[in-house]
Structures are given as structure tokens and as C-alpha cells.
Amino acid sequence: MERAGGVNVAERGAARGGIATVSIEQVLAWAPDTIVTWDANFFRSYAENPVWAAVPAVAAKRVYLAPRLPFGWIDQPPSINRTIGLRWMAGLLYPDKFPQDIRIAAREFIKLFYQTEPDEAALERVLAGEPPGGRGR
């Protein structure tokens, strides 16, 4: 997040040093304007919990599920995918400075580094942050 120009509010607290599970009370105290998660279960359910509505990122509809195919774009394992993850994150945080459609950038990245050109359905799965094996895993 920092390399994309953002400020990771979790770096100020106990979550320092990586991805961590934090309470809703802590998130409310941090009051982030954007939330990026790799947790598909959280992403599918946060909007159903009225407590989350008080978080600025939720109110602004700025909660994103990070892509993770074929490997995580922002987390584990360390891989070349962090390169496209940096571009993805920068586009979320600063769309005026990174106006290129992430679909085009992701397609070019996959073609260059994985020597395959994803069809529209595959590209959609990648960008949706869908876990390997499909939804719900």
C-alpha cells in the first residue's frame, strides 16, 4: 500500500508488519477511507453488518477484494504478482493518476509473465479476487 502512495493505518497499531486480524472497534478508531482485503468471506459479508456502515471506507463504497490469481497480488506468497498488485492498488487510490483500465494492464501482465492470454471469463475471475477453485472456498 505504501509503495502505491497510500498510508496503511494498520501500521500505526498492533497489526504492524503485515496482514493481521483486527476488531471492528480498531477499524472504527482508524477510520480508513479505503479498505483492501484478501479475505473473500469478509468481503462477501461486511455490508450485511450495520456496525461496518460507520467506517468511512464502507460509507464511500471503497472496500476492495484484492486479486489473488494465480498468486496473491498484495500478500502471499512473495511473487511477481506484487508488480501488478502495485499497479492495481495505485489505480484504486489515485485513479486520476493511473487512468489505464486495470483489465488492459492485467491482461498484458498475464500475457508477459504467464505466457497465456486470459479470455474474458478468466480475466474476470482474476480481477474479482476469486479463490483458486471457484467461489466460496
Side-chain angles (χ1 to χ4, degrees):
M1 181 170 287
E2 294 82 5
R3 285 183 174 81
V7 175
N8 186 350
V9 296
E11 288 290 315
R12 299 179 195 152
R16 185 166 182 77
I19 294 174
T21 301
V22 296
S23 69
I24 181 61
E25 292 81 13
Q26 183 60 69
V27 175
L28 286 166
W30 286 331
D33 59 16
T34 303
I35 294 174
V36 176
T37 183
W38 57 264
D39 186 336
N41 291 326
F42 166 76
F43 186 75
R44 282 193 295 272
S45 65
Y46 78 90
E48 298 167 7
N49 185 337
V51 175
W52 282 94
V55 176
V58 173
K61 298 185 183 334
R62 292 189 49 82
V63 179
Y64 303 98
L65 181 61
R68 52 188 172 163
L69 290 177
F71 304 104
W73 285 23
I74 64 165
D75 59 336
Q76 299 297 325
S79 74
I80 193 68
N81 281 15
R82 288 191 182 176
T83 305
I84 189 65
L86 179 62
R87 168 54 188 85
W88 175 80
M89 181 78 69
L92 294 180
L93 299 175
Y94 304 102
D96 54 322
K97 293 181 180 179
F98 297 90
Q100 181 190 25
D101 184 346
I102 190 62
R103 299 175 69 79
I104 294 168
R107 186 181 302 280
E108 290 171 357
F109 176 86
I110 292 166
K111 188 174 180 179
L112 177 64
F113 288 101
Y114 293 101
Q115 288 83 50
T116 187
E117 191 159 349
D119 61 22
E120 285 302 312
L123 187 59
E124 190 59 36
R125 282 192 306 276
V126 167
L127 293 173
E130 194 172 303
R135 295 189 186 274
R137 285 191 77 200

